[in-house]
Amino acid sequence: MFALVDCNNFYVSCERAFQPRLEGKPVVVLSNNDGCLISRSAEAKALGLRMGEPYFKVKDLIQRHEVRVFSSNYALYGDMSARVMHYLSSVVPEVEVYSIDEAFLDLHGMGRYHGDLATLAATMRYQIRKRTHIPVCIGIAPTKTLAKLANRLAKKSPLLNGVLHLDTPERVQWALEQTPVEDVWGIGGQYTQKLYSQGISTAAQLAAMSEGWARKQLGGVVGARLVRELQGTPCHGLAPSEDGSLSRKSIACTRTFAQPVSAFTDVVAAVAYFASRAAEKLRRQQSAANTLTVFISKNRFGTEPPPHTRSSVLTLPVATSDTVELLRYTRTALKRIWEPGAVYRKAGVILDGLETAGQQQLLLFESNEQAERRAKLMSDLDRLNERFGKNTVQFAVALPANIHAQVPWVGQSQWRTPAYTTCWDDLLFIRA
DNA sequence: TCTGGGGTCCTAGGACCC
DNA sequence: TCTGGGGTCCTAGGACCC
């Protein structure tokens, strides 16, 4: 049996945990750059505000209904997430942290110690609420895909008190019949259209199809697994996360610019900044990268036809996490795709082919001593930035030509709340 | 005027190797 | 006219997820 624990409207719930007066009011959280809506309270959803909608398009509606708006505060959300995951790991040995607000649990054999699984889930739900003020829902089923589906129904129906256990074939069938096909995990926009055009509109209808059909219609082996999972055969195991943090297979840092940029020096500085950030993340999870991708994009909403993005992939001679080295490759990659005169809106750096750090061979002609010096430089850099704050020490190439100007590749976030739990200066102040 | 930032997995084709 | 069978790596692109 698998359980899926999913935090309700997670970012909004994090903000509410520190401002209880927002309870019952419409609240939304915006993406980076205050661009789109990425988390909405139930009240905001009821007003018709949709996920991913650009803020500027719904600004009037938001003001008219006095919806509270927040910029995203990832320092806060990341820390709140860690608290939820830490609690789950204390109860269940096998936890897969699936995303910032979701975890799969392996409940195999847990019934022996805890009795009824639905009761165990209700306890976890209560404890998470008590400890973090984050509301969660829990779905339990024989496969991950069905646990997802159960979770969604637990969220929708208040009668279920946030927990649904699909413990009999009859309940599984009932749940499949309740679920529109587009709400199945793995069915996105393209497949929804395709399925509707073939008369398939519910999860139950999809579950009745053959594996061969699914393979042909839904992207090969991915579709075959999806249908098998709906039929109750597990095709996805649990990938337990050690220490409750995610170890990624690729690391990216990408941004839409606050203003369009067309000077080479500015774009160099932007991608150098992104590469520095990505390298920090890389060292934090003690990895080294084998490939580096740089991409630059023009306005994808304009009248110009695609492609809007050009990218350049470099395979590195030796995997590295050294910012100095990565910056050199970043510049090389950028030069390959640079078009003079173009106006760029977005850029990014992606590090791929990650492996465990410290197992790389020395670069040709480099002595042990040199390698150690480079490693020490990076760890000193990380320690300074950790202690005194992000960007305390930076590489000059990652700075704009005019260091007093507004940096175009660092977006606006007008409504960001304090990092209550991760920064001493931001501690919550309570008036007596 | 203003449209996010991460990730995953899979497929297919070409180059190259033995 | 006939012209193997595997394997890897790289790249690009497609679909999906939160």
Side-chain angles (χ1 to χ4, degrees):
Chain A
M1 278 289 170
F2 293 96
L4 175 66
V5 180
D6 190 345
C7 303
N8 305 355
N9 318 326
F10 182 57
Y11 299 162
V12 164
S13 298
C14 288
E15 299 295 347
R16 278 179 170 170
F18 293 88
Q19 297 191 53
R21 65 171 178 279
L22 299 175
E23 218 58 59
K25 305 243 163 64
V27 181
V28 299
V29 175
L30 303 182
S31 66
N32 213 288
N33 225 356
D34 293 337
C36 300
L37 277 55
I38 53 170
S39 183
R40 305 154 298 150
S41 70
E43 300 77 10
K45 288 175 193 174
L47 291 173
L49 294 167
R50 289 196 308 269
M51 181 68 179
E53 204 151 31
Y55 171 69
F56 75 89
K57 286 192 181 170
V58 287
K59 198 171 166 185
D60 286 347
L61 185 69
I62 280 177
Q63 283 171 351
R64 206 159 51 241
H65 291 91
E66 299 184 323
V67 177
R68 285 296 313 267
V69 177
F70 293 96
S71 304
S72 35
N73 180 349
Y74 289 105
L76 178 65
Y77 310 152
D79 185 63
M80 294 298 283
S81 169
R83 289 165 196 241
V84 172
M85 301 308 172
H86 180 260
Y87 167 74
L88 290 173
S89 309
S90 76
V91 181
V92 178
E94 301 281 271
V95 176
E96 175 185 342
V97 177
Y98 177 70
S99 72
I100 195 164
D101 65 346
E102 279 173 275
F104 284 105
L105 315 179
D106 185 350
L107 297 185
H108 225 89
M110 294 296 287
R112 218 173 300 160
Y113 301 100
H114 295 277
D116 179 37
L117 293 180
T119 309
L120 169 63
T123 305
M124 291 195 287
R125 185 167 176 266
Y126 170 78
Q127 286 292 331
I128 291 170
R129 184 83 194 222
K130 192 171 131 190
R131 290 158 190 244
T132 63
H133 288 237
I134 301 293
V136 304
C137 286
I138 304 180
I140 307 172
T143 70
K144 282 178 149 184
T145 307
L146 288 172
K148 269 276 196 189
L149 202 135
N151 186 288
R152 183 185 151 276
L153 292 171
K155 272 212 189 80
K156 280 193 67 164
S157 171
L159 290 174
L160 294 170
N161 282 318
V163 176
L164 177 59
H165 184 188
L166 301 180
D167 54 352
T168 64
E170 293 73 29
R171 287 194 178 149
V172 170
Q173 187 56 32
W174 170 83
L176 289 169
E177 284 164 8
Q178 301 304 302
T179 305
V181 78
E182 63 268 30
D183 290 338
V184 172
W185 191 35
I187 300 297
Q190 305 290 315
Y191 291 159
T192 298
Q193 275 194 8
K194 197 164 176 180
L195 292 169
Y196 268 80
S197 77
Q198 299 187 40
I200 297 170
S201 59
T202 69
Q205 286 174 304
L206 183 56
M209 303 308 285
S210 74
E211 192 186 318
W213 176 91
R215 194 177 283 272
K216 203 172 279 170
Q217 301 295 320
L218 303 176
V221 65
V222 179
R225 282 184 197 142
L226 194 160
V227 167
R228 300 266 292 159
E229 284 247 324
L230 284 180
Q231 294 165 349
T233 307
C235 300
H236 301 290
L238 200 81
S241 339
E242 296 155 36
D243 73 357
S245 65
L246 288 166
S247 194
R248 328 228 70 140
K249 297 178 175 173
S250 72
I251 285 176
C253 183
T254 72
R255 289 283 179 284
T256 298
F257 304 141
Q259 296 104 41
V261 167
S262 52
F264 184 70
T265 50
D266 280 339
V267 181
V268 168
V271 295
Y273 177 79
F274 302 150
S276 309
R277 289 250 87 98
E280 279 170 18
K281 293 190 211 172
L282 193 64
R283 292 193 293 271
R284 209 173 305 142
Q285 72 162 49
Q286 293 173 57
S287 296
N290 275 296
T291 70
L292 174 141
T293 305
V294 173
F295 74 80
I296 45 181
S297 307
K298 302 178 212 168
N299 183 13
R300 68 192 163 110
F301 299 103
T303 50
E304 235 182 289
H308 302 116
T309 299
R310 295 191 68 187
S311 67
S312 158
V313 184
L314 291 187
T315 301
L316 311 184
V318 176
T320 185
S321 64
D322 185 300
T323 304
V324 179
E325 237 178 292
L326 291 169
L327 285 174
R328 214 171 53 229
Y329 292 121
T330 301
R331 192 184 175 88
T332 307
L334 177 62
K335 276 189 177 161
R336 282 197 196 171
I337 49 177
W338 180 257
E339 287 173 61
V343 177
Y344 294 105
R345 310 294 285 243
K346 178 178 177 171
V349 171
I350 303 162
L351 301 175
D352 248 314
L354 305 193
E355 55 185 58
T356 307
Q359 301 181 335
Q360 288 70 41
Q361 297 182 356
L362 291 178
L363 285 173
L364 212 52
F365 310 124
E366 187 183 53
S367 70
N368 239 326
E369 198 185 320
Q370 283 170 315
E372 277 165 24
R373 269 216 308 271
R374 289 190 313 140
K376 176 146 192 328
L377 176 62
M378 288 305 113
S379 72
D380 288 346
L381 178 73
D382 292 338
R383 275 217 307 280
L384 285 169
N385 285 330
E386 166 100 11
R387 178 154 175 200
F388 298 105
K390 196 161 97 171
N391 295 336
T392 301
V393 184
Q394 288 188 78
F395 287 87
V397 65
L399 294 169
N402 174 2
I403 59 168
H404 302 294
Q406 168 77 39
V407 185
W409 51 92
V410 173
Q412 291 289 354
S413 34
Q414 278 191 68
W415 303 287
R416 179 166 305 155
T417 47
Y420 301 109
T421 60
T422 54
C423 176
W424 289 114
D425 292 336
D426 287 357
L427 277 183
L428 189 59
F429 181 76
I430 298 171
R431 220 164 289 151

